[in-house]
Amino acid sequence: MNTRAWIVFLDESGVWLLPQIRRTYSPRGRPPLLRHRLNWKRASMAGALGYHATDPARGARLCFHLKPGSYDTAGLIEVLEQMKVFYRSERVVLVWDGLSAHWSRAMRAWVAEQDWLTLERLPAYGPELNPVELLWSSLKKRELADVADATEQDIHRINANSQLPWSFLAHTGLTIHPPHSPNLRKDQ
């Protein structure tokens, strides 16, 4: 693994853009009426949490993508192209799960042309090793009346807290260690 790269964990999640059903009180025979103005039935989100392998002071970085429908290989390549711009073509080691679109022939061909990107696969049945799963948990615990606006607000909330993305990584039990001894100065 390239030790001068960003270590980036990526995951996708879907949300139904309909109000959550809740029980409430109402007069007998007059059930409450929920109104919403959403024109998408389902949205998919891709989140990428990046941690610099050698310089934690560069902070954790969150790249986020929201789209109607589901992700396929072409949609994920669009996310990775956005990530390339986000990371200014710096080296990225991308860690993600075994979703078929992640390892499709088209994806592998596209990745082979990218000199900035290396792929690593999470172990099967290991979602607890991906800090983005905790990002989804944090986002989805809040009531989402208008999911697109609420998600954008939550992304800003998470980005404003420099420690929260690090806590997601710490919760997985994984660490990113600098390649040098902590007793040595960086300029040696």
Side-chain angles (χ1 to χ4, degrees):
M1 194 177 295
N2 187 331
T3 59
R4 296 197 184 271
W6 286 91
I7 310 302
V8 178
F9 296 86
L10 188 138
D11 193 42
E12 307 82 19
S13 185
V15 290
W16 289 99
L17 299 178
L18 299 174
Q20 295 179 351
I21 296 173
R22 298 277 190 232
R23 293 188 185 276
T24 187
Y25 295 99
S26 68
R28 186 178 301 241
R30 293 178 33 206
L33 180 63
L34 297 176
R35 297 182 192 272
H36 61 87
R37 57 182 169 81
L38 303 171
N39 57 4
W40 298 352
K41 289 183 181 175
R42 178 175 163 76
S44 292
M45 307 178 288
L49 276 171
Y51 307 89
H52 199 273
T54 59
D55 190 2
R58 291 184 73 180
R61 300 195 64 198
L62 173 60
C63 182
F64 184 81
H65 190 267
L66 179 68
K67 70 177 254 131
S70 299
Y71 283 104
D72 57 8
T73 299
L76 288 170
I77 288 172
E78 181 182 320
V79 171
L80 294 177
E81 288 173 342
Q82 178 184 330
M83 253 181 53
K84 180 178 182 177
V85 172
F86 186 76
Y87 284 101
R88 296 180 183 95
S89 298
E90 288 185 75
R91 300 279 311 147
V92 169
V93 176
L94 183 67
V95 182
W96 58 7
D97 59 29
L99 182 71
S100 60
H102 294 174
W103 303 99
S104 68
R105 191 172 293 159
M107 179 63 76
R108 286 180 288 156
W110 184 84
V111 168
E113 297 173 1
Q114 309 303 311
D115 62 349
W116 64 278
L117 183 63
T118 303
L119 299 182
E120 294 290 338
R121 188 176 188 155
L122 282 167
Y125 308 107
E128 70 279 1
L129 296 175
N130 192 338
V132 181
E133 295 289 349
L134 291 141
L135 168 70
W136 299 145
S137 177
S138 180
L139 288 176
K140 291 180 179 183
K141 280 184 179 173
R142 296 186 54 165
E143 181 82 25
L144 299 180
D146 183 346
V147 94
D149 289 342
T151 300
E152 185 173 341
Q153 289 172 3
D154 278 346
I155 292 299
H156 292 297
R157 173 181 58 85
I158 291 166
N159 270 331
N161 182 339
S162 63
Q163 292 302 310
L164 194 54
W166 287 103
S167 71
F168 296 156
L169 180 66
H171 190 278
T172 67
L174 300 174
T175 59
I176 297 175
H177 296 288
H180 55 79
S181 168
N183 296 335
L184 297 177
R185 292 190 344 232
K186 287 184 180 180
D187 59 342
Q188 288 183 335

